[in-house]
């Protein structure tokens, strides 16, 4: 594994930077994955709900890189929660990816109004872990109260909680809970992509503080944000379909932010979430069929 690896709570090593592929259209996913792997990425983050696992698998194969040298992470969608359904979700995702084993398999969201179903889904992940079908398991978008219940009612502490985290939304209380339990914080929208999707929203890419720090290092705002996460011990999964940006987002090992610069970025937190409120996730509103492999 490359030097930027983070050791998960079960000893498995995960490269800190992965390529994200949310909203990457299937017809460009294979090329993006292949390009990332060519540039040195060794971690890809996809999800059943992104409808591009098949194309991710094709990119992995075309890269020619040995299977064991790439860390593949995917997520179970809420429509496949429940013990048997989630075991089958593994077959669907692994089948589309063309892999026998996944490196990290996580629950995409908690279902607060159907938490027993969420717990059953997690118990299926525990079974997949015990059977060696996945090397690590985790969750995404879990809030402290969801983690509390999960930890109380299941056996394996999640290796990772993948959450919205960028300079404008930092979830520090949740990060403290992660630290208490040895859960790695994995930042989604790590460069604040979600702050730029809506026209009216203030985008992290235009932030004067970030641009000022970037200028001092001869870097971009995106690189400064990624460096900030890495120096704080977090995993990041920036998404791009553009080769130049895929390269830029991986070229973050040749400089270091000062404590003052890290503090200045910490101070940008607005406390305002860009993505959906985790407690608003219901099967009725967000359920969708995940096709067979
Ligand atoms: P990111 O913070 O990764 O930002 C991506 C956006 O920024 C895209 O619009 C991309 O456009 C653009 N971009 C990428 N690199 C640069 C750069 N260097 N300079 C300027 N613009 C850039 O946001 P995402 O929301 O995509 O999050 C990353 C990943 O996190 C997802 O792909 C997915 O894997 C995961 N995720 C998980 C969620 C969850 O619920 N668990 C929710 C959302 C995301 P372009 O492609 O045109 O370069």
């Amino acid at each position: 594994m490359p030097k930027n690896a983070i050791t998960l709570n079960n000893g498995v090593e995960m490269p800190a930077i992965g390529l994200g592929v949310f909203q990457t259209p299937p017809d460009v996913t294979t090329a993006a994955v292949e390009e990332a792997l060519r540039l040195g990425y060794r971690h890809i983050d996809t999800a059943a709900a992104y409808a591009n696992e098949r194309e991710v698998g094709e990119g992995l194969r075309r890269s020619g890189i040995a299977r064991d040298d790439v860390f593949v992470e995917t997520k179970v969608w809420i429509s496949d929660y429940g013990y048997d359904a989630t075991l089958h979700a593994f077959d669907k995702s692994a089948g589309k990816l063309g892999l026998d084993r996944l490196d990290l398999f996580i629950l995409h969201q908690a279902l607060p109004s159907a938490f027993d179903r969420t717990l059953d889904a997690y118990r299926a992940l525990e079974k997949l872990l015990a059977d060696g079908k996945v090397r690590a398991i985790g969750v995404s978008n879990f809030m402290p109260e969801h983690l509390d219940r999960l930890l109380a009612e299941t056996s394996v502490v999640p290796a990772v909680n993948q959450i919205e985290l960028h300079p404008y939304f930092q979830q520090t209380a949740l990060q403290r809970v992660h630290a208490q339990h040895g859960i790695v914080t994995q930042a989604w929208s790590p460069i604040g992509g979600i702050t730029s999707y809506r026209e009216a929203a203030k985008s992290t890419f235009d932030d004067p503080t970030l641009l000022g720090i970037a200028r001092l290092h001869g870097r971009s705002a995106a690189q400064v944000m990624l460096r900030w996460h890495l120096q704080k011990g977090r995993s990041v999964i920036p998404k791009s379909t553009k080769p130049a940006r895929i390269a830029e987002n991986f070229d973050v090992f040749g400089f270091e932010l000062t404590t003052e610069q890290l503090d200045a970025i910490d101070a940008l937190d607005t406390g305002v979430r860009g993505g959906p409120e985790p407690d608003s996730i219901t099967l009725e509103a967000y359920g969708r069929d995940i096709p067979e492999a």
Side-chain angles (χ1 to χ4, degrees):
M1 281 289 165
K3 66 175 180 345
N4 66 350
I6 291 179
T7 304
L8 303 178
N9 58 18
N10 65 352
V12 166
E13 294 217 316
M14 174 178 78
I17 301 190
L19 178 76
V21 296
F22 174 47
Q23 303 186 110
T24 300
D27 62 341
V28 300
T29 299
T30 297
V33 168
E34 221 185 325
E35 179 64 5
L37 294 172
R38 194 184 67 77
L39 288 163
Y41 286 72
R42 291 293 180 268
H43 175 177
I44 310 293
D45 175 68
T46 183
Y50 300 168
N52 56 16
E53 288 173 309
R54 214 179 287 286
E55 291 76 13
V56 168
E58 185 57 28
L60 295 170
R61 281 185 296 282
R62 284 197 199 172
S63 75
I65 292 169
R67 165 66 189 99
D68 288 350
D69 290 341
V70 186
F71 190 95
V72 181
E73 170 174 4
T74 192
K75 316 183 189 80
V76 186
W77 188 239
I78 54 171
S79 309
D80 284 340
Y81 283 8
Y83 190 77
D84 291 333
T86 300
L87 289 179
H88 186 56
F90 169 84
D91 296 332
K92 291 200 267 188
S93 284
K96 288 173 194 162
L97 286 158
L99 301 175
D100 301 330
R101 194 170 67 149
L102 302 174
D103 297 290
L104 178 59
F105 201 34
I106 67 178
L107 300 185
H108 205 140
Q109 304 275 352
L111 269 181
S113 58
F115 206 75
D116 285 344
R117 207 157 161 163
T118 310
L119 291 171
D120 284 341
Y122 193 78
R123 291 185 186 110
L125 299 194
E126 292 181 322
K127 166 77 172 145
L128 292 163
L129 182 69
D131 290 349
K133 304 253 187 184
V134 300
R135 296 174 67 226
I137 60 175
V139 295
S140 175
N141 298 308
F142 271 46
M143 295 296 98
E145 61 276 20
H146 307 141
L147 286 174
D148 281 350
R149 251 191 101 180
L150 186 79
L151 292 168
E153 302 197 39
T154 62
S155 311
V156 177
V157 176
V160 162
N161 188 13
Q162 185 184 116
I163 58 169
E164 179 180 345
L165 208 175
H166 45 76
Y168 290 171
F169 189 59
Q170 299 183 20
Q171 311 213 60
T172 47
L174 179 53
Q175 287 194 61
R176 274 196 295 277
V177 174
H178 292 170
Q180 278 161 15
H181 296 288
I183 299 169
V184 168
T185 300
Q186 187 171 55
W188 68 250
S189 264
I191 52 178
I194 192 132
T195 67
S196 64
Y197 300 148
R198 282 185 303 272
E199 290 257 311
K202 188 180 164 220
S203 161
T204 49
F205 297 119
D206 303 326
D207 185 89
T209 300
L210 295 172
L211 289 171
I213 296 171
R215 210 170 302 118
L216 288 172
H217 290 278
R219 297 284 180 159
S220 68
Q223 288 174 316
V224 165
M225 288 186 264
L226 293 169
R227 192 67 222 164
W228 168 70
H229 287 293
L230 295 176
Q231 287 184 222
K232 297 255 174 183
R234 299 190 285 260
S235 170
V236 288
I237 43 170
K239 172 261 179 188
S240 182
T241 56
K242 301 185 171 59
R245 287 177 174 176
I246 295 173
E248 178 185 325
N249 296 343
F250 197 68
D251 180 18
V252 290
F253 297 103
F255 72 110
E256 186 129 8
L257 301 176
T258 65
T259 307
E260 291 71 28
Q261 290 168 342
L262 294 173
D263 291 348
I265 303 173
D266 286 349
L268 297 176
D269 194 6
T270 63
V272 178
R273 186 187 293 283
E277 196 54 56
D279 274 333
S280 74
I281 304 295
T282 60
L283 275 172
E284 294 69 29
Y286 290 92
R288 80 162 88 141
D289 185 49
I290 301 296
E292 296 296 326

